[in-house]
Amino acid sequence: MRLLTVYLIGLVFGLGISISGMANPAKVLNFFDVAGTWDPSLAFVMGGALVVTFIGYRFVLKRPAPIMAKVFQVPTRRDLDLPLIGGSAVFGVGWGIAGFCPGGALPALGTGRIEVVIFVASLVAGIIVAKGLRSTLAGPGQEA
C-alpha cells in the first residue's frame, strides 16, 4: 500500500510540474529574464504551492502522527550556515543556467530529451561530489 501511495504522490507531483510549465526550461528561463521576455506565470505557480503547503501543514500537523509513519519528520534547525547558503546559491545558479530545477527535471526525463538526461546526470554527480567533500572535510570519526 505504501509503495502505491508513494507512486501516486509522485504522479500527481509530476503532472503538476508538467502542467504548470516548470518542466519546460524555456518557460523557466523566461521567468528569470526580468529585463527581457519575462514570464511571471511561474510566480503564481510557486505562490499557489506555498499557499497549499501553508494550509496543508496547519491541518496535517494537528494529527498525532502521519498516516504511514510513526512520527513527523519536520526540520528543527533554524540557523543559516555556509553549506546551506552555498548550496542554495549553487541551486539557484544552476536553475538559472539550465532552466531546470531537480523537481522539474525528473518528470521531464520522460521526454527523452538529451539536455534533461545531461542535467539529471550532472545533478547526481554533484550530489556524489558534495557528499564526498563533506566526508573529507569532516575528517575521520566526525559526522558529515
Side-chain angles (χ1 to χ4, degrees):
M1 184 63 174
R2 182 175 167 90
L3 186 60
L4 178 62
T5 302
V6 170
Y7 173 77
L8 290 174
I9 290 169
L11 182 65
V12 169
F13 176 78
L15 284 171
I17 289 289
S18 298
I19 291 168
S20 69
M22 291 190 82
N24 178 356
K27 187 168 186 74
V28 172
L29 291 173
N30 282 337
F31 172 70
F32 288 120
D33 188 9
V34 293
T37 57
W38 186 54
D39 179 358
S41 62
L42 291 186
F44 294 106
V45 172
M46 290 183 232
L50 284 172
V51 169
V52 168
T53 300
F54 181 81
I55 294 169
Y57 265 70
R58 297 299 174 270
F59 284 112
V60 170
L61 293 179
K62 288 182 180 178
R63 299 179 51 88
I67 295 172
M68 295 192 176
K70 293 181 181 179
V71 296
F72 287 107
Q73 302 284 325
V74 180
T76 56
R77 287 186 58 179
R78 296 186 180 271
D79 59 317
L80 300 176
D81 60 0
L82 187 59
L84 177 65
I85 294 169
S88 300
V90 169
F91 175 89
V93 168
W95 194 17
I97 290 171
F100 290 112
C101 77
L106 294 180
L109 274 173
T111 66
R113 296 189 339 239
I114 190 67
E115 63 267 21
V116 182
V117 173
I118 291 170
F119 177 84
V120 172
S122 300
L123 172 72
V124 170
I127 291 169
I128 292 168
V129 168
K131 287 185 94 162
L133 279 173
R134 288 185 78 187
S135 296
T136 302
L137 294 175
Q142 294 180 359
E143 203 173 304

